[in-house]
Each structure stands twice: as C-alpha cells, then as structure tokens.
Amino acid sequence: ILIYMYKENKNYDQAEKVCLDGIQQSHSVDFYHLLIDIYQKTNQKNKLINVLKQLLCRKQGNVEYYKQLKQLYNQEEWQKEKQEIITYLEKQNNNIIDIYLEEKMYYSLMKYFKKTNDVIQIKKYEDILFKNVPKDIIEFYENYIYKVLKKSGTREIYQQMSSYLKSIARYDFDKAEDIYHQLELLYPKRYAMLEEMKIERSLSVQLIDIIFAIENSSNHVTSYYNKKTQKIVSLFEELIDQNLIDEIDENWDQYIALLSSYDVHEYQIMQDFILNLKNKDIRDQLWNTIHGKGAFRRFKDLAARFGILEDWFLYLNQQYRKIAIKWCRENNIIYVE
C-alpha cells in the first residue's frame, strides 16, 4: 500500500527504496515487478536492465523477461549483450529452451537436448528440429534407438522406439529403412520388436491441393487421392476419362475419396459466419435473407452491400483449410503448407 501511495504521488525515490527493502527481506517477485514499473515511468534504463537481468536469472531464463530486456537495446548492442546473457544462463544450467527458440538458435537447442538426454522434450520440439537441424536430431534418435534396444524390452518399449523411428521416416524414409534393416540383422529373433518397429513410407500432399479440390467439388466433379503417386486426380461428369475410371475401379485400394460438396456443409459455414458478426443489425438482415432458394446469391449481394464480402471469403477459406487438415489427419496423410 505504501508503495502505491508513493507512486500515486510520484514520489518514485521512496517507492524504489521500499521495493528494494522488500526484495532484501522477502525476495518476492512482486517487488521486482513494481521496480520495473517505477523505472519505466522514470526512464531509468540502466536500472531497468539490471532488474530484468536479475529476474531472468531468478526465473531460469523466463522468455518474457528476456523479450523485455531485448527491447531496451539497439540491434548492435543487443548482439553483444545477448551472447553474454545466454552464456551466463547456460553456465547456471538454466532451462532456456524458449530463449533458444526466440533467437532461432536451433543448434544450441539441440546441443542442450543432447546434454540433458531429454527425449520427451525433444519429441515436443521435433518438428522445429527436423526442419532446422535434421542431421542432428536423426543422429540423436538413431543412437537412442540402438542404445535402448541393446537389451530386450517390452512391447511398450518397442512401441516407444517405433515412434522415434517413424519420426525419422517422416523426414528421411531411406535412413529409417536402413535403421530397420540393421535391427533385423542385429536381432533377427526378436519378432515382437521387429513387428512394432516396422515402418511404411508416409503419405504426403500439398495442403493447398486438398483445399482446391474440396473448394471445387460438386455434383459434376469427384476427386481422389492416389496413395501410390501421392497426387490428386479428378473425374469430370462432362469430360469422361474412361481410362482413369478403369484405373480407379481396378486399384480401388490405392485411392482415397476426397470430401464432396455434401460433406463440406457450406450453408452451415455461412450460418456460423453470420452468427459471429458483431453488428446486430447486419447480422439480423443477413440471417433473414438466407432462407429458401437462392440463399447464397442473396447472402453475397447483401454482404457486398455491407462491405463484408471479403471477410466472408477469408472466413470461408479458413474453414476449408480446417476441413482439409482434418481430412489429412483422419487419413494419416502428412500435409505440406
């Protein structure tokens, strides 16, 4: 209460003194936060930097304090200061994963994981690591798999090792296949292990191709995903391709049907868009116009008049994207942005 009274009267020197005394007695983070507010209001940059550094060390590399500190330097100053701060935090054995991510220091992040041998944490960030330091994480997973499987294990252990091998396969199938064949040579009689560790080449697709196919689905167009070629093919009612029809009929197990216009429920999407509008008058007028034949045409005409037609198209595209992602996940297909 005393601190707030001093701040209210702009007696910042006294407020600062009470905060510093409070820190010495209780080390409460609240006093640090009050000091930050005081130093911000009085433009005391050096003191503000000092407090943020103390908090950064106390809170084991809390990235929010790190970001606040970063904003107080120009780019040239920060490059030097950043390395000193990170080096200090590393020596204190602090968990600074979020700081590594903030600075895009992926090699340092991987080095930290190797040091801690924390495969659970690596699994959490593996997409980022595979994208930026693929060789390092593949090598780590490979060594970890061999190390664990030196001893015979349970089904649960084999399933865990299989998850790491499958992660490798998503990014480098040939490497994962080599590891599996090596395990076959090392442990030919571990049938349960080999059964769990078996991998299949992952299916993938460009997400935009799925979205485009769904957007253009109709009573006259039917699209399929070919698991062998990993491409999308379409059948058009007005342009009969008998060869493609025969190919799909003869190899039905190689094709996955994409969603049709009946599966998308665009009318429901339109209703949801209207119900989410903040302007009650516009919302009510649009709602009243979407009943009966020609609902979509009337809706678009009125939306254009209200100046929200672009908002509708953006919303519709976002919903198509969600639908496409859901379809990919349900069919175990990796989508590429």
Side-chain angles (χ1 to χ4, degrees):
I1 296 174
L2 189 61
I3 295 171
Y4 288 110
M5 183 182 71
Y6 285 139
K7 286 174 62 180
E8 186 69 24
N9 294 320
K10 297 185 179 180
N11 193 345
Y12 296 115
D13 290 339
Q14 286 298 320
E16 177 188 15
K17 184 178 184 303
V18 176
C19 286
L20 292 172
D21 289 341
I23 288 172
Q24 287 185 344
Q25 294 173 18
S26 68
H27 299 285
S28 171
V29 173
D30 292 336
F31 287 115
Y32 284 100
H33 290 167
L34 288 166
L35 276 177
I36 288 173
D37 185 51
I38 291 168
Y39 294 149
Q40 285 176 335
K41 288 181 176 178
T42 56
N43 295 316
Q44 297 186 71
K45 179 181 174 181
N46 291 335
K47 287 185 177 181
L48 180 57
I49 287 172
N50 185 51
V51 171
L52 287 170
K53 283 183 178 179
Q54 290 180 51
L55 273 173
L56 194 57
C57 296
R58 281 198 58 195
K59 288 299 179 179
Q60 299 187 336
N62 185 298
V63 73
E64 294 307 317
Y65 298 132
Y66 183 85
K67 289 178 180 178
Q68 290 181 52
L69 194 59
K70 185 177 181 178
Q71 292 174 355
L72 297 173
Y73 292 87
N74 62 43
Q75 190 171 1
E76 186 177 344
E77 291 173 334
W78 179 244
Q79 290 308 309
K80 180 181 178 181
E81 192 67 26
K82 174 186 74 174
Q83 194 53 54
E84 291 181 2
I85 291 169
I86 291 176
T87 300
Y88 176 81
L89 292 171
E90 287 173 335
K91 287 180 179 178
Q92 300 301 310
N93 293 318
N94 285 328
N95 179 343
I96 57 172
I97 291 173
D98 290 334
I99 291 178
Y100 286 142
L101 292 172
E102 168 71 16
E103 295 295 344
K104 297 181 173 55
M105 297 173 64
Y106 303 116
Y107 284 103
S108 297
L109 179 62
M110 192 67 227
K111 183 179 177 182
Y112 170 80
F113 285 139
K114 286 180 179 178
K115 182 180 177 181
T116 59
N117 204 35
D118 191 341
V119 290
I120 295 176
Q121 282 278 51
I122 291 181
K123 194 72 175 171
K124 182 179 177 182
Y125 297 101
E126 71 174 21
D127 287 340
I128 293 173
L129 294 168
F130 270 115
K131 183 178 180 180
N132 294 281
V133 285
K135 291 183 179 178
D136 294 76
I137 187 171
I138 288 173
E139 180 184 9
F140 182 89
Y141 275 173
E142 180 183 8
N143 292 336
Y144 185 71
I145 290 168
Y146 286 135
K147 179 182 176 182
V148 172
L149 294 181
K150 274 186 178 181
K151 297 181 180 180
S152 182
T154 62
R155 279 273 184 180
E156 185 179 359
I157 290 175
Y158 296 151
Q159 288 168 0
Q160 289 174 358
M161 294 307 102
S162 175
S163 72
Y164 299 122
L165 187 61
K166 287 175 180 175
S167 291
I168 295 174
R170 285 203 302 271
Y171 294 89
D172 189 339
F173 185 84
D174 292 337
K175 179 63 178 177
E177 200 169 44
D178 288 342
I179 295 171
Y180 180 79
H181 290 326
Q182 185 63 27
L183 291 172
E184 282 184 309
L185 294 173
L186 290 170
Y187 312 111
K189 295 183 178 181
R190 288 194 194 173
Y191 305 115
M193 182 200 75
L194 293 173
E195 180 184 345
E196 292 294 343
M197 297 293 288
K198 193 170 183 180
I199 56 172
E200 295 180 357
R201 191 174 292 274
S202 297
L203 300 175
S204 66
V205 69
Q206 291 287 333
L207 186 62
I208 192 170
D209 292 340
I210 298 293
I211 295 172
F212 181 81
I214 294 174
E215 283 180 336
N216 290 279
S217 66
S218 69
N219 297 333
H220 310 292
V221 182
T222 307
S223 296
Y224 300 89
Y225 175 79
N226 186 322
K227 292 189 283 186
K228 185 176 180 180
T229 64
Q230 301 190 24
K231 301 292 183 183
I232 295 170
V233 296
S234 298
L235 291 174
F236 299 88
E237 185 179 279
E238 61 274 4
L239 184 62
I240 297 175
D241 186 338
Q242 192 60 49
N243 290 333
L244 180 56
I245 293 173
D246 293 341
E247 159 67 18
I248 294 173
D249 287 341
E250 292 171 10
N251 301 282
W252 183 250
D253 60 329
Q254 290 184 12
Y255 289 88
I256 305 174
L258 267 76
L259 297 170
S260 69
S261 56
Y262 293 107
D263 300 312
V264 173
H265 306 300
E266 190 170 321
Y267 185 80
Q268 180 63 55
I269 295 174
M270 179 175 63
Q271 288 181 314
D272 292 340
F273 172 77
I274 294 171
L275 292 173
N276 283 316
L277 292 171
K278 294 180 179 180
N279 188 305
K280 186 179 183 303
D281 183 51
I282 293 177
R283 186 171 66 240
D284 290 344
Q285 288 190 57
L286 285 171
W287 187 262
N288 291 332
T289 198
I290 62 170
H291 306 290
K293 190 176 181 180
F296 280 102
R297 177 182 52 78
R298 291 193 302 274
F299 164 76
K300 290 177 183 177
D301 289 344
L302 197 55
R305 196 185 312 166
F306 289 135
I308 59 170
L309 190 58
E310 287 299 320
D311 294 337
W312 156 245
F313 287 129
L314 178 61
Y315 181 83
L316 182 61
N317 184 262
Q318 290 171 342
Q319 300 312 303
Y320 273 124
R321 185 177 184 278
K322 290 178 181 178
I323 292 168
I325 289 173
K326 184 173 183 289
W327 181 88
C328 288
R329 288 175 175 168
E330 287 175 346
N331 290 282
N332 297 315
I333 298 173
I334 299 170
Y335 61 88
V336 181
E337 297 280 4

